[in-house]
Amino acid sequence: MYTKVVHMALFKEEELDHAAESITRLRLLGVQDKDISVISGIPFSEKILDRPMSWTNVGRIGIAGAVLGFIASLLFNFGTPFLYPLRVADMPIFFPIPTSIVVTFELTMLGLLISTFIGVFVETISPSFGPNGYHPKVSDGHIAVLFSGPILLDQQFHTTFEELGATLEHDVEEEKLWL
Amino acid sequence: MAAETKLFGKLKTAEQEHEDPKEQLMFDPRPREELNRMVMEMMTTTTKKFWLWAIGLGVGVVVLLFGAWGYMISTGMWVTGLRRPIFWGVFIVTFVFWIGISHAGTFVSAILRVFKAEFRRPFTRAAELMTTFGLAAGALYPLIHLGRVWVFYFMIPYPNARWLWVNFRSPLVWDLLAITTYLLSSTIYLYLPLVPDLAMARDRTTGIRHSAYKILALGWRGTEAEWFRLRKAIQIFAFAIIPVMFSVHTIVAWDFAVSQVAGWHSTIFGPYFIIGAILSGVSAVVTILYILRSTLKHMDYFLRPEHFDALGKLILVFSMAWAYFFFNDYLLGWYGGEAAVRQILTLHATGPAAWVWYLMLICNMAVPWLTLWNRKIRRTPWLMFIITLTINVGMFAERYTIVPLTLGHQRTPFDWGVYTPQPVEISIVLGTFCLFTFLYLITSRLIPMVPVWEVQEGQVAHTLRKIGKAEVPTVTELD
């Protein structure tokens, strides 16, 4: 068993190719994908960086919210006329179609959109897997490759990243960025 | 020999006709560090003039809006010009106006995002902010118009001792639901793409600002998972908010159209209102962009003639679409044979308030059609400012024609009337304009007004590619 330390390699914004290459070389050195994380100031697709696809439940949470909104709208549209019958002109009390479509649409969309946001919020504040760490230069356009690997390979990491023109930082502490 | 074209009698070479790509924001990249610095300077630079405006507008909100509203509540609605037969006046006109303005953000940001219109990048946030504050100003009007504002809670559905339930078949309740949905979703839609920029601001500030950005940035680092999640959420929002936007103004139109009032009972009112809303919204975006460009430091780097040009084309198209819907509504009303409708249409064009009707036509059709076909005009920001301001005057006149001018001449001639807005109403209307401007002004110093990451993403994606002898602008899809 060996100790793993989180390293951070910082590439300048125009050195995206080198950042992608460094990931390939890390793999060759035996670092697994789950031990690598890339942070950047703009989004790059997984294909550009040759990284495994990320996943998120935001879409599913959104759909669940839409279903809840839909059910709430059914209760409002069809449940409340039974509880509080209110006759308006010749409109039927217990069959509020097509007017109920408007309420159904609005509440379904409200459920979808709010729960999508809740999904983003919950996933963002949840603990993340993989190496943590941050550098303010990332929001200045730098690309940071974070990885955890055995101390024994330190020299090789150094050589690799020096060749690629990156600045390497060791033992990156997880900075508290939120509450 | 270079190809030549003739315009206004002057010969122009092909090289002169095509602008240098470097004039476009996407082909004039700067390092991210510099972009961040420019945006941060925008946020933190305040002059004496800024504070004078902020204080003036703040006083305007307190006195003109809340002062007049308080006075109206304490004395009663008789201080307004609302009399039989006209019970919907300038409050409803301004309500429709603000809801219309609020369509700008969604249209400019969501629809252009869905269709990947690259020119949207630097001003999506300015437009989204307009949506949120336009809705906030508009949402006040149903409350103001209630008169007895303290009974607003009657609209909220909950079991109560009154033994009355909200009538979900009423368009007024639909309005409440639609505006609430739109306000919440457009605020979230403003916030989501803001998170990476708030993180950027967090990294560059200290003290209370740093603490605030730290909370609002939700610990953003820019990991692959965070970007993936953000892109997914923005995608969901961009698609879902479009039908919500359409529903909001359709429902506002149904407030009128589901009634039996002559001149309102029209099946085309929904789309007619939507087109009008988009026309006024996009025009208002141009007006705001000009003000931002003239007042915010470095904004002239981000907002360029190309952006005014692109929005000018959109305005021209929507002005024509508005004219089409207007004529459609007008012609069928006129042809329909109902005496009351024909009487209203005649009075609109020949009555004592005919100037409002002609103002509407001149501002919404004549002005844009005579000017916006010209590229040079579209690329001159101050001219675009005047044109778009004129269009919104026209759109206000349109709503005025639809509401009090139509209500005053219904089917029973003995019950005709004239509406004159009273000082208290004018004060409240001016007060909401102050509120909108005040909120916008203050927010421009609190959040990055330019989505820096989106601009940089665009600049990375745009390149000049050599094809034959020419360098052709190309765009790569990074996602």
Side-chain angles (χ1 to χ4, degrees), chain B residues 68-371:
Chain B
W69 189 6
Y71 171 71
M72 194 182 80
I73 289 170
S74 65
T75 52
M77 292 293 275
W78 65 269
V79 291
T80 68
L82 299 171
R83 304 270 184 285
R84 184 185 168 90
I86 302 166
F87 291 108
W88 282 13
V90 83
F91 290 153
I92 301 296
V93 171
T94 321
F95 162 70
V96 181
F97 176 81
W98 281 122
I99 301 293
I101 292 283
S102 74
H103 283 54
T106 311
F107 180 80
V108 167
S109 184
I111 296 185
L112 297 186
R113 195 188 292 274
V114 167
F115 288 107
K116 298 188 176 173
E118 291 293 318
F119 67 87
R120 74 172 201 281
R121 289 184 185 272
F123 56 81
T124 47
R125 186 151 308 139
E128 287 157 10
L129 213 53
M130 272 189 63
T131 295
T132 305
F133 293 150
L135 274 173
L140 281 178
Y141 278 97
L143 304 179
I144 295 168
H145 187 75
L146 268 182
R148 297 177 192 172
V149 65
W150 54 91
V151 296
F152 169 73
Y153 67 92
F154 277 26
M155 295 280 279
I156 301 166
Y158 69 97
N160 56 74
R162 299 186 300 279
W163 273 93
L164 276 177
W165 193 259
V166 174
N167 181 7
F168 286 105
R169 285 167 284 181
S170 159
L172 299 179
V173 175
W174 301 345
D175 244 346
L176 175 80
L177 279 174
I179 292 173
T180 310
T181 304
Y182 195 39
L183 184 59
L184 283 171
S185 50
S186 61
T187 309
I188 299 170
Y189 188 58
L190 166 73
Y191 176 62
L192 282 177
L194 188 62
V195 171
D197 291 330
L198 289 171
M200 178 276 289
R202 172 199 65 199
D203 295 346
R204 277 157 196 79
T205 46
T206 51
I208 196 162
R209 265 189 187 248
H210 174 75
S211 308
Y213 295 138
K214 194 173 174 180
I215 294 166
L216 290 170
L218 302 174
W220 177 270
R221 292 191 296 143
T223 62
E224 300 148 297
E226 282 172 344
W227 281 119
F228 181 72
R229 194 182 304 133
L230 185 74
R231 278 203 316 238
K232 185 101 181 165
I234 291 176
Q235 204 179 6
I236 294 172
F237 264 81
F239 277 95
I241 209 168
I242 294 168
V244 173
M245 175 199 87
F246 278 95
S247 76
V248 172
H249 222 60
T250 306
I251 289 171
V252 169
W254 287 343
D255 287 342
F256 300 87
V258 297
S259 70
Q260 292 296 319
V261 173
W264 286 1
H265 193 65
S266 160
T267 54
I268 208 162
F269 249 39
Y272 173 43
F273 267 51
I274 287 169
I275 290 293
I278 295 175
L279 174 64
S280 72
V282 178
S283 299
V285 169
V286 174
T287 310
I288 290 272
L289 291 186
Y290 174 77
I291 296 170
L292 291 178
R293 192 175 189 262
S294 320
T295 54
L296 283 180
K297 208 175 173 184
H298 305 303
M299 206 47 152
D300 52 349
Y301 168 77
F302 293 102
L303 296 175
R304 302 181 179 210
E306 53 163 323
H307 302 115
F308 290 89
D309 185 13
L311 289 171
K313 285 178 196 165
L314 280 177
I315 293 169
L316 184 59
V317 170
F318 283 112
S319 165
M320 289 173 174
W322 178 86
Y324 162 73
F325 278 101
F326 168 76
F327 187 65
N328 215 317
D329 182 53
Y330 187 91
L331 186 75
L332 296 191
W334 185 84
Y335 232 123
E338 195 187 345
V341 177
R342 196 177 282 200
Q343 185 74 38
I344 288 167
L345 296 178
T346 309
L347 275 165
H348 281 169
T350 59
W355 67 273
V356 180
W357 193 76
Y358 287 106
L359 182 72
M360 166 187 83
L361 294 181
I362 291 166
C363 296
N364 288 349
M365 292 199 288
V367 171
W369 293 9
L370 290 173
T371 54

Side-chain angles (χ1 to χ4, degrees), chain A residues 13 36-46 48-49 51-56 58-59 62 76-77 80-81 83-84 86-88 91-94 96 99-100 102-103 105-107 109-110 112-114 116-117 119-121 123-125 128-129 131-142 146 176-179, chain B residues 30-34 36 157-160 163-169 173-174 177-182 184-185 188 191-192 196 199-200 202-204 214-233 236-237 239-241 243-244 247-248 251 254 452-454 456-457 460 477-479:
Chain A
E13 59 182 286
I36 303 173
S37 174
V38 182
I39 53 176
S40 56
I42 56 168
F44 292 110
S45 73
E46 290 81 0
I48 291 175
L49 293 165
R51 296 274 294 142
M53 279 295 285
S54 299
W55 61 270
T56 176
V58 164
F76 281 140
N77 280 320
T80 58
L83 293 170
Y84 302 90
L86 181 72
R87 188 168 283 281
V88 178
M91 299 287 278
I93 290 172
F94 301 121
T99 50
S100 61
V102 180
V103 177
F105 172 77
E106 293 298 337
L107 288 178
M109 296 312 273
L110 187 64
L112 168 73
L113 294 168
I114 287 187
T116 300
F117 174 67
V120 172
F121 182 77
E123 283 194 4
T124 304
I125 62 166
S128 60
F129 300 102
N132 281 319
Y134 183 69
H135 200 292
K137 278 190 174 176
V138 170
S139 57
D140 268 342
H142 283 59
L146 288 154
K176 203 174 179 193
L177 290 174
W178 203 50
L179 297 173
Chain B
R30 290 193 185 176
R32 175 67 182 265
E33 204 172 346
E34 198 180 336
N36 289 341
Y158 69 97
N160 56 74
W163 273 93
L164 276 177
W165 193 259
V166 174
N167 181 7
F168 286 105
R169 285 167 284 181
V173 175
W174 301 345
L177 279 174
I179 292 173
T180 310
T181 304
Y182 195 39
L184 283 171
S185 50
I188 299 170
Y191 176 62
L192 282 177
M200 178 276 289
R202 172 199 65 199
D203 295 346
R204 277 157 196 79
K214 194 173 174 180
I215 294 166
L216 290 170
L218 302 174
W220 177 270
R221 292 191 296 143
T223 62
E224 300 148 297
E226 282 172 344
W227 281 119
F228 181 72
R229 194 182 304 133
L230 185 74
R231 278 203 316 238
K232 185 101 181 165
I236 294 172
F237 264 81
F239 277 95
I241 209 168
V244 173
S247 76
V248 172
I251 289 171
W254 287 343
V452 198
W453 69 269
E454 287 198 67
Q456 199 208 354
E457 187 190 29
V460 171
E477 278 190 21
L478 294 180
D479 52 354

